[in-house]
Amino acid sequence: MLALFLVVHEVPAATKVKVGVLVSMSSFISDLTGQGSVEAAKLAIEDFRKRHPGTTVELVSADHQNKPDVATGIVREWFDRESVDVLLDGAPSPVSLAVTDIVKDKNKVFLASSASHSDLSGKKCNPNTVQWTYTNWAFANGTGKAVVRQGGNTWFFMTADYAYGHSLEKETADTVKAAGGKVLGTVRHPVSAADLSSFLLQAQASKAKVIALANAGGDTINSIKQAAEFGVVPGKQNLAALNLYITDVHAMGLKTAQGLMFTTAFYWDLNESTRAFSKRFASRMNGKMPTQAQAGAYSSLLNYLLAVERAGSPGNGARVVAEMRNVGWFEDPLFGRTRVQENGGVQHAMYLTQVKTPSESRAPWDYYKILQKIPEELAFQPKEQTGCPLVK
């Protein structure tokens, strides 16, 4: 008698991923992240789904109002009740530093695509957080060295009085001193201060060759506009914007921003790939080109989703991040040659940049001159020096 055997192959369940974009929608940093980071995340999901239609990806977003307690409340709700797998964006630094431990405890993933505080891949590093786009050390290393080399050997800092500003000031001051420069003093201003005149007067009185702006977004814009009103640059002092975004330049105009030197991770007009992405982004954002933070949101989420595909599930966050590390060096569509290190820090090139004069600009958003490419291995702090306990 012929026996009939039926072999049943188990069909794996379709993968589902839920993304939570945590941003500021109405503050001094909303232009550089905000709705633009949400749209960048949507583009990443669309591009991933074209190649991996079997994976379902859902996106939710929320405004943390620049309040760490509000942010942690949102994140706990997302993780405990809404089954969010990955947290994206997370600036400013007080927010990112507040949520990274929650992400580790819940074994989820935090793609810190816009947060620059160096502790995220340093003292507070963990197996679940990836600091994708930049760090304060990278900004300081690129701009600080270059300005001292050009003769800007005395510095005075105007610093936003919160964790990010303090970190950026320290990283830059250390770089300036190591390069042979001197720091003559510091003044710290409140976040979102409308009137910066008293702080600028202190900076002018220092007679430092360089007034360094350790702030971001609207605070940087106000600092530069008011410095122009006070005649800082004609007075033989130069401004160093330690963290500048293309939306800042757009808001100020080239007449005010021209000549500013800074370090950036991304520029829309670098190559064909960055231009193609930026054109798509601009079509959704009323013609605005993406900032480096928004480019980081796209890139980090796309690579996270590819890692989920390799891991088979988003359930174990630390395992997914390990998959992001295990690929080693790869060619990212926006950042070029890239890799994730064991401290969660990402290596890719950075660019020493200068804002064009109005006569040099040939088209809308044609704002930057790339002065120097800082190679991947030199652009970020060596992982052994970050203080990350994960680095052996």
Side-chain angles (χ1 to χ4, degrees):
M1 182 176 181
L2 182 64
L4 180 64
F5 293 93
L6 179 63
V7 179
V8 178
H9 295 281
E10 185 177 348
V11 179
T15 303
K16 295 181 180 179
V17 183
K18 193 165 185 179
V19 180
V21 186
L22 186 67
V23 290
S24 172
M25 290 292 190
S26 57
S27 76
F28 70 105
I29 62 167
S30 58
D31 274 354
L32 60 95
T33 60
Q35 187 59 37
S37 288
V38 176
E39 292 302 325
K42 290 178 181 178
L43 286 169
I45 292 169
E46 291 170 15
D47 288 350
F48 173 79
R49 290 268 299 145
K50 288 174 185 176
R51 289 176 281 174
H52 304 273
T55 300
T56 299
V57 186
E58 182 182 349
L59 182 146
V60 294
S61 64
D63 180 1
H64 56 58
Q65 303 171 40
N66 276 10
K67 298 176 181 178
D69 59 331
V70 172
T72 55
I74 292 168
V75 170
R76 291 188 187 280
E77 176 78 12
W78 277 353
F79 289 164
D80 294 342
R81 298 187 181 182
E82 298 189 35
S83 301
V84 167
D85 299 295
V86 57
L87 186 65
L88 180 66
D89 201 297
S93 293
V95 167
S96 61
L97 294 170
V99 303
T100 185
D101 289 336
I102 301 173
V103 172
K104 178 186 175 184
D105 291 343
K106 300 292 184 180
N107 197 19
K108 303 291 187 174
V109 174
F110 178 24
L111 302 174
S113 56
S114 64
S116 63
H117 200 297
S118 298
D119 280 359
L120 287 169
S121 51
K123 296 175 183 177
K124 285 183 70 71
C125 72
N126 63 60
N128 299 72
T129 293
V130 181
Q131 191 170 21
W132 192 267
T133 312
Y134 40 53
T135 66
N136 283 343
W137 190 94
F139 290 139
N141 177 66
T143 307
K145 283 182 179 178
V147 173
V148 173
R149 194 163 52 235
Q150 293 185 3
N153 57 4
T154 55
W155 289 56
F156 186 94
F157 286 87
M158 271 186 58
T159 301
D161 195 9
Y162 67 112
Y164 154 81
H166 301 171
S167 169
L168 185 54
E169 176 194 312
K170 181 186 182 302
E171 299 280 10
T172 309
D174 289 347
T175 299
V176 167
K177 292 172 187 175
K182 294 180 180 180
V183 176
L184 302 186
T186 297
V187 63
R188 290 179 173 171
H189 66 79
V191 174
S192 299
D195 184 4
L196 296 168
S197 57
S198 64
F199 308 106
L200 282 163
L201 286 171
Q202 292 179 62
Q204 276 189 305
S206 73
K207 305 299 183 184
K209 293 180 181 177
V210 180
I211 299 173
L213 305 177
N215 48 27
D219 286 335
T220 302
I221 294 169
N222 285 340
S223 299
I224 295 169
K225 283 184 174 180
Q226 291 179 37
E229 293 170 7
F230 276 81
V232 169
V233 175
K236 301 188 187 289
Q237 288 178 298
N238 290 311
L239 296 177
L242 300 178
N243 187 1
L244 195 69
Y245 296 81
I246 196 164
T247 46
D248 300 335
V249 176
H250 188 73
M252 288 183 281
L254 290 180
K255 184 178 179 180
T256 299
Q258 62 183 310
L260 285 170
M261 188 182 295
F262 60 100
T263 302
T264 188
F266 171 86
Y267 179 45
W268 72 269
D269 201 18
L270 277 175
N271 54 52
E272 287 300 323
S273 185
T274 59
R275 284 189 285 272
F277 164 76
S278 299
K279 182 178 179 180
R280 293 169 60 206
F281 178 92
S283 70
R284 301 179 179 211
M285 290 294 295
N286 297 317
K288 290 183 179 179
M289 288 299 170
T291 67
Q292 53 183 324
Q294 291 157 349
Y298 170 90
S299 175
S300 60
L301 182 56
L302 180 60
N303 282 282
Y304 164 83
L305 293 171
L306 293 170
V308 168
E309 195 78 3
R310 295 191 297 272
S313 164
N316 185 331
R319 181 184 172 191
V320 176
V321 172
E323 286 290 341
M324 297 178 76
R325 291 196 304 270
N326 290 342
V327 295
W329 288 103
F330 64 93
E331 193 66 24
D332 184 80
L334 302 188
F335 294 95
R337 186 168 174 261
T338 301
R339 74 169 174 178
V340 181
Q341 302 180 97
E342 59 263 42
N343 65 333
V346 175
Q347 284 184 296
H348 51 67
M350 297 286 286
Y351 300 89
L352 183 64
T353 308
Q354 190 170 39
V355 178
K356 290 183 174 182
T357 64
S359 62
E360 290 172 326
S361 178
R362 302 301 181 193
W365 298 90
D366 177 26
Y367 294 159
Y368 291 179
K369 290 188 290 187
I370 303 301
L371 304 179
Q372 177 188 343
K373 178 180 178 179
I374 305 171
E376 302 89 326
E377 290 86 353
L378 301 178
F380 292 84
Q381 187 176 23
K383 60 183 185 292
E384 296 82 8
Q385 298 177 15
T386 60
C388 173
L390 301 176
V391 176
K392 299 176 182 178

